[in-house]
Amino acid sequence: MNSNVKKFIQNFSYTFIANVLSIVISTVLILIVPRFIGVDEYGYWQLYIFYTSYISYMSLGLTDGAYLRFGGYKYNDLPKNVFVSQYWFLVVFDIVVNISIASFYNLISINTNKTIVVLLTSITGILVVPRSLLTFMLQATNRIKEFSVIIILERLIYFILIIIFLLNGIRKFEYLIYADIIGKFCSVLYSIFVCKELVFGKFASFKISVKEIWLNISVGIKLLVANFVSMLIIGIVRFCIEKNWSIETFGKISLTLSISNMLMLFINAMAVILFPALRRTSENHLPAIYKMMRTIIMIPLIGLLIFYYPAKIILVAWLPQYAESLTYMALLFPMCLYESKMLLLINTYLKTLRKEKLLMEINLITVGFSVILTSISVFIINNFNFTILSIIILLAFRCITAELCLSKMLKIQVKKDIILELFMTIIFIAVSWYLNISVALIIYFIAYVIYLIIKKNDAVYLWKNIRSLLKTN
């Protein structure tokens, strides 16, 4: 077997285990927590998760820049004293920023529960932002095993504590957040242990430290803005739902989004190891690898939409108080197609080709589109259904636009595949929303069989290439 393929498989196995555990934990929490706590309490818990998803962007782009600049390096070749300076800069910076945010919100807020959420989010920010520099360097230098252990440790402690709280009759959202913070704190300690050379030691000179911090920020700021804006695409819609409707509605839709996003954990397992691998690959091979990876993820993902039908039946029976919101899975489930392709392929390739500016521009355009669509659906026509549908419209628009740009750089043809995937998405949403589950399942299954027949040659080509790689020494 090709040594590069062997290393890729080995690294994937580590992240696969970490992400399978995350999926199991997420599934259990999604199914169990709403069953035991009130809709209000669940809403505030989801609000914390929503806020913390933006916390990592307080790095100013420093961690993103380091990831881009040192992707493909060996860990021992990293300039350790430079990273010591940058780590402690992030610690001090985030302490100051998060304390300021918490103090300001405490002065202006009249909602005690939201104040608690913001305060605990600020504590999380102090923990996770400096840690991100260490985890990014583990990913960039292909130390995937250590990175995976950090994820496993955080999620496992988080899960165990939540189960303990629920079994002891503790139903308040604050304790669910405490469990998350404790899990993150333990993972921070382990990340410091495995990256102690980047945390403890002699600082680089002040001049070099400032120069490196500025260089990483200047390189990473475009990627940071691109990622932050990417979060805003759905974030604007969710924020307006919380403001225009209620915390209960926000919690219910967050549950549906969480279920729809579960498949993303598998994709993330591959994205983590693909970037450093591609940075070490000749640009001549990138188009062929893209076509192979595209076929590998899209054919199974389009097929996995079939599991929506039994999943909805089970979830409605288990969580009857969320039955109404679970109907929106029909509109949101296909988001995994576009988010998976964006995360694994398009983002990774644009970063490899150092086209962060293009990624940022596409995301900014999509956010502008998000503001327009959300304003119309929420404030003008006040239509909740269209507000939810706008999420998949926005994600599809961004993904298709970005892939068309990328295909020109790689000189490959993807328009036929884009049209096919869009057609399958429309069929799924239409039959799942308007028809009963049995009829919808039959129609979508027939459509998927036709899709497989159309994609037969691509599947055969992929299989031949995989066999060739496995036989290569």
Side-chain angles (χ1 to χ4, degrees):
M1 184 185 290
N2 185 298
S3 60
N4 290 330
V5 175
K6 189 182 294 185
K7 182 67 175 175
F8 185 89
I9 292 172
Q10 184 183 51
N11 285 336
F12 179 72
S13 67
Y14 294 135
T15 53
F16 181 78
I17 292 169
N19 282 280
V20 164
L21 181 64
S22 291
I23 286 175
V24 171
I25 290 172
S26 296
T27 303
V28 172
L29 293 181
I30 286 169
L31 295 176
I32 288 180
V33 174
R35 180 88 173 186
F36 287 92
I37 70 173
V39 176
D40 258 13
E41 298 289 325
Y42 185 79
Y44 285 115
W45 181 45
Q46 286 299 313
L47 193 63
Y48 163 79
I49 294 172
F50 177 54
Y51 287 165
T52 54
S53 64
Y54 291 93
I55 279 294
S56 60
Y57 299 104
M58 290 184 184
S59 68
L60 302 175
L62 191 154
T63 56
D64 304 89
Y67 181 66
L68 290 171
R69 288 180 62 212
F70 294 96
Y73 270 58
K74 292 183 179 179
Y75 182 80
N76 291 332
D77 294 335
L78 294 175
K80 307 296 193 305
N81 59 341
V82 169
F83 279 97
V84 172
S85 303
Q86 295 186 54
Y87 178 83
W88 289 106
F89 165 77
L90 284 175
V91 170
V92 174
F93 175 78
D94 276 278
I95 288 174
V96 172
V97 170
N98 282 286
I99 288 176
S100 300
I101 291 172
S103 301
F104 176 74
Y105 195 85
N106 186 53
L107 289 173
I108 65 169
S109 176
I110 57 173
N111 186 318
T112 304
N113 286 334
K114 283 189 180 180
T115 302
I116 293 171
V117 169
V118 171
L119 174 61
L120 295 176
T121 301
S122 298
I123 294 171
T124 300
I126 294 171
L127 293 173
V128 301
V129 176
R131 185 192 68 176
S132 68
L133 180 65
L134 306 182
T135 55
F136 272 32
M137 287 305 98
L138 290 174
Q139 294 174 56
T141 57
N142 233 13
R143 291 183 64 185
I144 304 301
K145 181 179 179 181
E146 291 86 347
F147 168 74
S148 300
V149 173
I150 292 171
I151 302 301
I152 291 171
L153 186 65
E154 177 189 325
R155 299 297 292 173
L156 203 55
I157 292 172
Y158 173 54
F159 174 72
I160 291 171
L161 287 175
I162 283 184
I163 297 301
I164 291 172
F165 291 151
L166 292 178
L167 289 175
N168 283 277
I170 299 171
R171 304 288 188 261
K172 292 186 177 181
F173 74 89
E174 296 99 312
Y175 287 88
L176 303 180
I177 299 175
Y178 296 154
D180 183 57
I181 291 174
I182 293 169
K184 283 180 166 59
F185 178 74
C186 293
S187 71
V188 167
L189 294 180
Y190 179 75
S191 66
I192 290 173
F193 173 73
V194 296
C195 297
K196 51 185 174 292
E197 302 89 350
L198 307 184
V199 178
F200 304 111
K202 186 179 179 181
F203 282 43
S205 69
F206 180 78
K207 183 178 179 180
I208 292 175
S209 297
V210 172
K211 180 183 175 182
E212 284 291 320
I213 288 170
W214 175 252
L215 187 57
N216 281 338
I217 290 174
S218 61
V219 169
I221 193 67
K222 293 173 187 174
L223 182 58
L224 177 81
V225 172
N227 291 334
F228 179 72
V229 170
S230 173
M231 296 284 292
L232 285 178
I233 293 169
I234 298 179
I236 289 170
V237 180
R238 293 182 68 187
F239 180 79
C240 289
I241 287 172
E242 192 266 326
K243 290 297 178 184
N244 195 57
W245 282 282
S246 66
I247 192 68
E248 294 92 342
T249 304
F250 178 86
K252 288 178 178 180
I253 290 304
S254 294
L255 173 66
T256 307
L257 282 167
S258 298
I259 295 167
S260 302
N261 270 324
M262 275 169 50
L263 290 174
M264 294 299 298
L265 290 169
F266 274 113
I267 298 302
N268 189 56
M270 296 182 69
V272 164
I273 57 176
L274 190 59
F275 175 69
L278 290 177
R279 284 297 298 267
R280 296 169 181 168
T281 302
S282 168
E283 285 197 19
N284 295 331
H285 296 142
L286 292 181
I289 294 172
Y290 184 88
K291 290 174 69 176
M292 287 176 59
M293 293 300 298
R294 198 186 193 289
T295 303
I296 286 172
I297 67 168
M298 294 311 293
I299 291 179
L301 279 176
I302 290 174
L304 281 171
L305 292 182
I306 292 170
F307 288 96
Y308 155 79
Y309 302 103
K312 184 185 176 183
I313 294 171
I314 295 167
L315 288 168
V316 168
W318 178 251
L319 300 170
Q321 69 271 40
Y322 290 86
E324 183 183 353
S325 65
L326 289 171
T327 60
Y328 293 102
M329 282 173 61
L331 305 180
L332 294 173
F333 220 60
M335 67 187 286
C336 66
L337 301 181
Y338 296 103
E339 283 291 80
S340 297
K341 187 169 39 167
M342 194 74 198
L343 174 65
L344 176 59
L345 286 178
I346 300 169
N347 280 5
T348 306
Y349 262 77
L350 289 176
K351 286 187 288 186
T352 301
L353 297 169
R354 296 305 308 273
K355 298 294 182 181
E356 308 91 52
K357 184 179 178 182
L358 175 62
L359 181 61
M360 179 181 70
E361 290 170 350
I362 292 169
N363 285 342
L364 282 169
I365 291 169
T366 310
V367 162
F369 190 23
S370 176
V371 170
I372 294 169
L373 267 185
T374 307
S375 299
I376 293 171
S377 61
V378 175
F379 302 113
I380 297 177
I381 62 176
N382 196 32
N383 188 305
F384 190 72
N385 292 349
F386 184 65
T387 302
I388 301 303
L389 182 62
S390 68
I391 292 176
I392 190 66
I393 293 172
L394 292 165
L395 295 179
F397 170 80
R398 178 185 61 157
C399 183
I400 291 169
T401 303
E403 188 170 25
L404 289 173
C405 292
L406 181 59
S407 66
K408 289 181 181 178
M409 297 177 205
L410 298 176
K411 297 179 181 178
I412 56 175
Q413 293 296 320
V414 293
K415 288 181 182 178
K416 175 186 171 184
D417 291 315
I418 287 173
I419 292 170
L420 270 174
E421 289 149 13
L422 191 59
F423 187 63
M424 292 298 292
T425 301
I426 293 170
I427 289 177
F428 175 84
I429 290 174
V431 300
S432 302
W433 185 257
Y434 290 107
L435 304 176
N436 68 61
I437 287 182
S438 300
V439 177
L441 173 60
I442 293 169
I443 293 174
Y444 185 76
F445 180 77
I446 292 170
Y448 183 60
V449 170
I450 295 171
Y451 171 79
L452 288 177
I453 293 170
I454 295 171
K455 295 289 291 179
K456 182 181 69 174
N457 291 336
D458 289 340
V460 171
Y461 172 79
L462 172 65
W463 175 242
K464 287 180 179 178
N465 277 278
I466 290 174
R467 288 183 63 184
S468 176
L469 281 172
L470 293 175
K471 289 178 181 179
T472 305
N473 294 318

